[in-house]
Amino acid sequence: MRTIIKWGLALLLGTMLGGGATANAQTEIPGSLVKVGHYTASTDYLNLSEYYQTTRQTKVTVQYRPTYHGGRTKQRQLTLPRGTTVAGYLTTQKVGTHLQQALLIYSSRLSYALLSQVQPKGYTVDPIADTDATPTVISGSQLTAFKRVPCPKYMVAYSHGDLYSGGAAAALSPAEPTETSLRITPDGVVELLSYDANANANLGFYQRPDTQAKITRTNFHDPYRDLYFAHDLRGFNLQRVNRTGKQQYKLTIENLHQPQHILGNSLKGVAGTFDSLYLVSGVPYYTFIGFDGASN
């Protein structure tokens, strides 16, 4: 979930691990140790997604919830074009007496431009569906439509792609973000969203973006991540770098490498959390990157 991911804390098992090396960019190796500020954390507790790309046009099931009213969820078949990058992870699914490999797709992280193609009127993509094995699970012969790829360079390290306006004070605040959100989606789209306070719980940052554009190129040179677009984006201070073509404008995202740590409560089994601070064209943002694992 893009909201309540941090303050509706999960109860985690495990202890704080010592030692390990510093990581400047996201590793996809589970169980490895990385430095997060002054802390050594296990990637098992950080936001560690796998990424897959479609090898052919394929359909996936997406679940939608009522935006402003009560009611049941609805499921729709969404067609993913060939070459679409998605976030997810491999798991197993019981079929009869056997276990078979399955791929869980985080459908709510896809771009609004893609999800809105089959979105019922008055409904919003359901972020809760990403937390279990239905309805976005891929199995059987459909698995051949996806190939494993590295984490895209445009995705900021250990983030689900959701950044919220504000600096360290906002990151450490117990209040849920209700201002502006910058989304970078696995399928390579940047979206700027304003919070909709009238939407149902957890759906405030899932409405139509104020502005959105496809990323046409990425340069990553830590701590800077430069994203290029064919057109200017309202709400961003972009740099004009070319007069024609698909790489006319550049958005610079700077990792301040000043992670913010909120202590948990080991007596209550609640882990602490980490946030990373960024500057997006000079404007402060933060993103939740995971737990410290320090719960009993």
Side-chain angles (χ1 to χ4, degrees), residues 89-292:
Y89 67 91
L90 280 176
T91 182
T92 56
Q93 183 183 56
K94 189 173 182 180
V95 179
T97 59
H98 302 282
L99 291 176
Q100 68 174 10
Q101 195 173 54
L103 174 63
L104 178 65
I105 300 296
Y106 294 123
S107 59
S108 70
R109 299 189 203 169
L110 293 170
S111 64
Y112 180 87
L114 196 57
L115 292 170
S116 62
Q117 293 179 11
V118 296
Q119 180 172 303
K121 185 177 181 180
Y123 283 73
T124 298
V125 65
D126 184 5
I128 308 300
D130 286 349
T131 62
D132 55 38
T134 58
T136 55
V137 68
I138 309 298
S139 60
S141 60
Q142 196 179 8
L143 274 174
T144 61
F146 297 85
K147 66 176 181 179
R148 180 75 181 272
V149 295
C151 176
K153 291 182 179 180
Y154 45 76
M155 299 299 297
V156 297
Y158 300 114
S159 170
H160 291 327
D162 50 338
L163 293 85
Y164 301 96
S165 60
L172 296 175
S173 171
E176 286 290 331
T178 57
E179 298 290 333
T180 301
S181 175
L182 165 67
R183 274 189 75 201
I184 304 173
T185 70
D187 53 320
V189 175
V190 164
E191 302 173 342
L192 185 65
L193 304 104
S194 297
Y195 184 77
D196 185 349
N198 296 317
N200 287 333
N202 306 329
L203 301 182
F205 278 120
Y206 287 81
Q207 306 313 310
R208 179 186 295 274
D210 300 328
T211 186
Q212 56 190 316
K214 184 74 174 177
I215 301 169
T216 58
R217 174 189 168 195
T218 304
N219 281 342
F220 174 58
H221 42 102
D222 191 47
Y224 301 103
R225 185 174 270 101
D226 295 326
L227 309 181
Y228 293 82
F229 308 92
H231 306 285
D232 199 1
L233 294 176
R234 180 170 54 89
F236 291 107
N237 182 22
L238 301 189
Q239 180 182 355
R240 186 73 179 264
V241 293
N242 289 299
R243 291 295 173 185
T244 59
K246 295 183 178 181
Q247 301 169 21
Q248 294 188 46
Y249 292 88
K250 181 178 73 173
L251 176 69
T252 298
I253 300 176
E254 178 184 358
N255 188 343
L256 296 182
H257 290 302
Q258 297 172 9
Q260 305 297 299
H261 182 226
I262 299 177
L263 293 174
N265 188 327
S266 60
L267 295 179
K268 295 182 178 180
V270 177
T273 60
F274 290 115
D275 293 270
S276 286
L277 301 182
Y278 284 86
L279 290 178
V280 180
S281 292
V283 178
Y285 279 81
Y286 70 93
T287 184
F288 171 64
I289 63 171
F291 299 96
D292 60 15

